[in-house]
Amino acid sequence: MNEAHKIIKTVDIAKVYGMGDISVAALRGINIEIAEGEFVAIMGPSGSGKSTLMHILGCLSRPSSGQYFLDGEDVSGLNKTQLAAVRNKKIGFIFQAYNLLARTTALQNVTLPLLYNRTNNKNKEEGFEKARAMLELVGLSERIHHQPHELSGGQQQRVAIARALVNDPVMVIADEPTGNLDTHSGGEIMNLLHKLHEQGTTIVMVTHDPKTAVHTQRTINLIDGLVDNITHNGKHKAAEISA
């Protein structure tokens, strides 16, 4: 690891579901660090704990024990309301199923995080301008008034990426971002993620696909709730991914 600012640092993170004889340890002591500007994959088979870890890193749930430092702040003991505030301010999410609101334009979908960010001081028009800029960044300036059913899967995912970026988060978490896409559209989305990374965006991608994970700088491999190994993949440029 270089000495860049750490966006993620976990110390002995554990997560246990249930109690007593029916308790299940989904995570059993995870220690990872992800620096600002990194593009990292978290990979593992079903039951490895990668989804549980993603929920904790995304401030969607708390660990049963251990500490999680996000952008230098210990968030592991925050309550649900406090976690939501941190989540809305500091984390952008990209989901496999896009999670766009139907019968709502791309522009309106992208502005939604601004409405939930209490630190956002933009008025309505400034919010729309920021959303337009994000849609232009992802190559959808001509589709801002289209609703999800009028867009291809790849275009919907681009809207979701624009939405993830609109609050200027400290990191983006991408959960199987190409999982619902064909090979061509998936390649375009990976190409876009690489461009964002080259511009300085910190990206944590959760995937089960080694062919997708290899495009990141590092792959953190989980097995049975533990870090099994970390693979260094080198640096990839957007131009190396076919669009």
Side-chain angles (χ1 to χ4, degrees), residues 50 94-97 157 174-180 205-209:
K50 64 181 186 296
I94 304 167
F95 299 99
Q96 178 176 342
Q157 193 61 295
D175 182 16
E176 302 281 7
T178 62
N180 281 5
M205 182 173 64
V206 179
T207 183
H208 71 283
D209 183 4

Side-chain angles (χ1 to χ4, degrees), residues 26-30 48-49 220-229:
L27 299 176
R28 299 190 290 142
I30 300 291
S48 63
I220 299 171
N221 296 284
L222 301 186
I223 292 181
D224 297 332
L226 294 167
V227 175
D228 182 57
N229 62 77

